[in-house]
Amino acid sequence: MKRIVVGISGASGMLYAARFLRAVPADYQVRLIVSPVAEKILKTEIGWQVKKQSFGEFWAQFSSEPFNGCQIELHPAENHFAPVASGSFLTQGMVIIPCSAKTLSAVANGYTANLLERTADVHLKERRPLLLVLRETPYHLTHIENMKKATMAGATVLPASPGFYHHPQKIEDLVDFIVARTFDHLNIDHQLTPRWGEKHA
Ligand SMILES: Cc1cc2nc3c(=O)[nH]c(=O)nc-3n(C[C@H](O)[C@H](O)[C@H](O)COP(=O)(O)O)c2cc1C
């Protein structure tokens, strides 16, 4: 079953979310949840007006690179009745990209105030992959303790901290490095960046 949940929370780094959605293969179904703060940061950082434009429409204006064309269904963050709020609704996993320190805290402490947080909690209780692309710097001890708690509950903390060994030439190369790692953890095939040991372009 090719269905994933993508959560976008109110951290900087909305290009990570956009390039993730662009690259999801066409035979995948994405259930998308955007927090209220994320909605505003999406608009200020990359110009996407989530409630006015579909992702396909936004991407066509934003970039000349192709959108792979996955099916995206948006669930309002305040709708606790959405299918993804239940463990009986099957998915292959969930990524929160980018993940704020506040949403990390909610995940780590089982505090499910909105649909995004509830769905993350469902992925933990159902023992399904949950990736947190955390974006904050520097960290204080509570952030570090929350990372530990989330990890012990079954999440994977995958910080938005790209490597440079693939010789990035532009911002998109750095962003795709992180998107590629999230795809690997969700078992989604991709050719976003060369793997170590493969020839670099
Ligand atoms: C422009 C902007 C950028 C932000 N960047 C970050 C960030 O990178 N990391 C973070 O943890 N919080 C960041 N915040 C703060 C969060 O948005 C805030 O803690 C919010 O409550 C997160 O809620 P959410 O996780 O439910 O979206 C930012 C806020 C704004 C307005």
Side-chain angles (χ1 to χ4, degrees):
M1 185 259 324
K2 295 190 168 182
R3 182 196 284 145
I4 56 169
V5 181
V6 177
I8 306 181
S9 71
S12 186
M14 292 302 169
L15 199 51
Y16 287 109
R19 291 195 74 81
F20 183 98
L21 291 173
R22 172 194 93 85
V24 175
D27 58 344
Y28 272 76
Q29 188 192 99
V30 170
R31 299 299 178 117
L32 179 66
I33 312 166
V34 182
S35 81
V37 186
E39 219 181 293
K40 292 188 179 141
I41 303 178
L42 274 166
K43 186 162 176 239
T44 58
E45 281 194 352
I46 61 173
W48 181 18
Q49 302 190 69
V50 175
K51 286 192 180 142
K52 289 194 186 155
Q53 286 171 301
S54 72
F55 181 75
E57 285 165 345
F58 156 74
W59 190 262
Q61 290 164 15
F62 181 72
S63 169
S64 57
E65 290 174 272
F67 163 45
N68 278 348
C70 66
Q71 186 205 321
I72 300 177
E73 187 167 334
L74 179 68
H75 295 299
E78 63 277 10
N79 179 14
H80 285 268
F81 287 79
V84 289
S86 168
S88 64
F89 185 79
L90 292 176
T91 76
Q92 197 173 308
M94 174 173 183
V95 59
I96 305 181
I97 180 170
C99 180
S100 72
K102 179 263 194 178
T103 291
L104 165 70
S105 173
V107 169
N109 294 287
Y111 183 75
T112 63
N114 63 33
L115 180 68
L116 199 165
E117 293 158 355
R118 165 65 187 167
T119 307
D121 202 61
V122 165
H123 280 73
L124 290 182
K125 82 182 176 72
E126 300 297 334
R127 309 296 195 268
R128 292 188 208 139
L130 173 65
L131 312 178
L132 309 176
V133 181
L134 182 63
R135 214 313 308 176
E136 186 50 283
T137 195
Y139 300 134
H140 58 61
L141 184 59
T142 306
H143 296 146
I144 293 166
E145 284 174 349
N146 282 336
M147 279 191 257
K148 180 182 173 191
K149 279 171 108 172
T151 301
M152 289 181 78
T156 299
V157 180
L158 201 155
S161 161
F164 290 79
Y165 56 80
H166 63 313
H167 303 142
Q169 303 296 309
K170 49 192 193 308
I171 290 173
E172 287 77 4
D173 297 338
L174 289 167
V175 173
D176 283 351
F177 180 97
I178 296 299
V179 173
R181 302 302 295 132
T182 60
F183 275 32
D184 286 346
H185 280 259
L186 288 168
N187 269 322
I188 301 176
D189 280 343
H190 69 86
Q191 297 199 320
L192 286 164
T193 52
R195 293 178 187 280
W196 185 242
E198 286 178 349
K199 277 214 165 105
H200 292 255

